[in-house]
Amino acid sequence: MKRKLRVLFASSEAVPFIKTGGLGDVAGSLPKALNATGEAEVRVILPKYKDIPEEYKDQMSHVCDFYMMLGWRHVYCGIETLEYQGVQYYFVDNEYYFKRDGAYGYFDDGERIAFFAKAVCEFIQYVDFKPDIMHCNDWHTALSTVFLREFYQNMEDYKNIRTLFTVHNLKFQGQMSDAVLGDILGLAGNEAAANQLRSDRVSINFMKGALCYSDLLSTVSETYAREIQTPFFGENMDGIYRRRKDALYGIMNGLDQEQYDPETNENLPAHFSANDMSGKAECKAALQRELGLEVNDQIPLFTMCGRLTQQKGLDLVEHVLDEFLQLPVQFAVVGTGDKKYEDMFRNFETRYPGKVCAYIKFDEKLAHRLYAGGDFFLMPSLFEPCGLSQMMAMRYGNLPIVRETGGLRDSVQPFNKYTGEGTGFSFSNYNAHEMLFVMKDALGVYYDNKEALNQLRYQAMTRDFSWNVAAGKYMNIYRRLHPEIESPVAVETAPAKKAAAKKSTTKKTKKKTAEKKGKK
Ligand code: ADP
C-alpha cells in the first residue's frame, strides 16, 4: 500500500504558540520539514494555554468536545484547530487546567499533564485524522504511550498505532507520588503497568513509562544517545536505555536557517555572508559599542549566550577566566540563570571594565547581535543533549569552542591545523585548563593565521544545519514502525530495508553527507 504516513506529533510546546525551551523550537519546525518530504502528513497536538497569543486564538475553530475519565474524574475536553504554515495544529482545551499563566510550575502539574496525555489518545476517535504513528515528546506526553496500550489499543481506530518517544531533556521526568497511579492514571491494580511506571517503591515516573511502553525511542543527537546509556548521563534511566539500545536512535536537531541568516536578519546592524564577510566587522564594532567594550577590531571577542546553570560548564569558566583575561582579549556574556553565576560574571565585569561585559537579561535580539559580532563562542557544557546556540554561532561565523559531549560533539568539527578542516574548536575532558589551552589555541589562530581563521569561518557558515537532514532520519524511523505502508514518493533505498538496518543506515547517511560536502 502506497500512501503518506499519518503522524500525530504530541508536544506540550510549539513555536509560535508557546515556548519555554528547545522543545518548542523543535515542535515548531520538525513537523513542517516532515510534511515537506511528501512522505508524511504530520499534525501537531498541544494544550491550549492561556499564554498563546490572541492572534492565534482568534484563528482557531472548534472541532469537537467530549467528556473523558481521568482516574475517578469525569472531565471536559474541547478540541480546537488551526492551520499554520501548512501544518494542522490541534489544541486541547480545558480552562480549569490550562487557563493559567505560563505552562508549568503548578502544584497539580501531574494531573494537568496526565489530562493532556490522555486527551491526545481520546480525541482520535472523534476526528477524521486516524494516525499510524503517535510521536510523543518529553515527559508531558510520555503517558500517552501508556494510555494507548492500556485503554485504547483494542479499539478499531487505535489498533495499528505505533509509538515513538523522543527525549529532549532527560532531567525532567515527571516524578509523582505513588497515589497518582490510581487517583489520576486509573491504573490501580494493574501490576504490570505499575512495575513499568514505578521508578522506586514510592513514586511514579511518567517518563519511565514511555521508555518502557514506546515501540521506538530517540533523543536529539547521536552522541547523547550513547551517553544516556551510562550512569553519569542517564539520570537513572541508563539501565532501560541499555536494555533497549536497539530501539534507540540519536537524531541531531536542525536550525531554522531562515531565521538565523546573517544576510537577512533584521536585528543586525549590517549583513554578511560566507562569501562576503565585510559586514561582520561592522557588527563587531556595533556590539562592542553597545556592550561598553573598547571598540577595536584587532582584539578577539569571546562570547557566551545561554542559561547560566551548572550544565553549561560555567565552573570551568570561573576557574580560568582571570588567567585568560590577562591576554589581549574581550569577553561578553548574555544570559540569565543561577544567581551564583550571574554574580560571578557581574564581578568579572566590575574588575575588567571595557574588557568584560555581563549582560544578565533575556534578550533575543541582542543574542542575534552577539552571535553575529563575536569571534569565538564558548560552550563548555557538562552535558548537552543537542544544543542550538553553537549552531547559531556557526551560522554567524562565530567559531564555537565546545566540550566534546552530546550534540556539541556531533555538530562542531574541531580545527585541524594540518589540513585546515573544521568549524570550531573542542576539548574532551571536563577540565578548566584543557579548555583554557584550546581557548589559547583559538587566540593563536586569530592573531597569527588569518587565512585559517577565514577558512574556518567559511566552513562553519556553510555547514548544513537545515531540518531536512533530521526529517529524513525521522522518516526512516517512521518507516521502521510501518514497513507495510510504502512511500508515495520515490526514495533512494527501499525504506523498510533501510530502516530495519539502523547501523548501516547511519553509516550510509554519514557517507552520503560526506560525499555531498566533498562535491560542494
Ligand atoms: P538549552 O535548550 O539547554 O537552554 P540551547 O543552546 O539548545 O540550550 O538553546 C538556548 C536558546 O536560548 C538559544 O536560542 C539561545 O540563543 C537562547 N538564549 C538563552 N539565554 C538567552 C538570553 N539570556 N537572551 C537571549 N537568548 C537566550
Side-chain angles (χ1 to χ4, degrees), residues 206-329:
F206 290 6
M207 189 178 268
K208 180 168 177 272
L211 296 182
C212 294
Y213 274 79
S214 304
D215 295 310
L216 293 176
L217 306 171
S218 77
T219 186
V220 287
S221 69
E222 278 182 33
T223 296
Y224 194 61
R226 281 194 302 276
E227 288 174 339
I228 53 179
Q229 296 176 43
T230 66
F232 182 81
F233 294 97
E235 304 286 348
N236 292 324
M237 296 296 130
D238 49 292
I240 301 177
Y241 276 126
R242 281 196 299 279
R243 177 160 56 79
R244 302 208 58 198
K245 64 175 187 304
D246 291 338
L248 174 63
Y249 292 78
I251 299 178
M252 183 84 186
N253 287 335
L255 187 67
D256 187 331
Q257 308 231 109
E258 278 167 37
Q259 198 192 344
Y260 290 89
D261 185 349
E263 252 188 301
T264 54
N265 190 281
E266 73 232 13
N267 301 302
L268 308 185
H271 292 117
F272 56 96
S273 68
N275 292 315
D276 177 9
M277 292 292 284
S278 49
K280 188 162 169 82
E282 203 177 321
C283 287
K284 179 172 173 180
L287 182 68
Q288 287 172 320
R289 213 171 298 122
E290 182 177 0
L291 298 182
L293 301 168
E294 183 192 335
V295 181
N296 185 340
D297 189 35
Q298 301 308 309
I299 303 179
L301 175 52
F302 285 71
T303 53
M304 283 188 98
C305 176
R307 289 180 295 117
L308 303 181
T309 62
Q310 199 207 7
Q311 180 201 331
K312 300 293 174 183
L314 302 174
D315 294 322
L316 302 189
V317 180
E318 178 175 28
H319 207 66
V320 294
L321 196 53
D322 262 321
E323 192 178 335
F324 188 61
L325 288 170
Q326 306 314 310
L327 301 165
V329 295

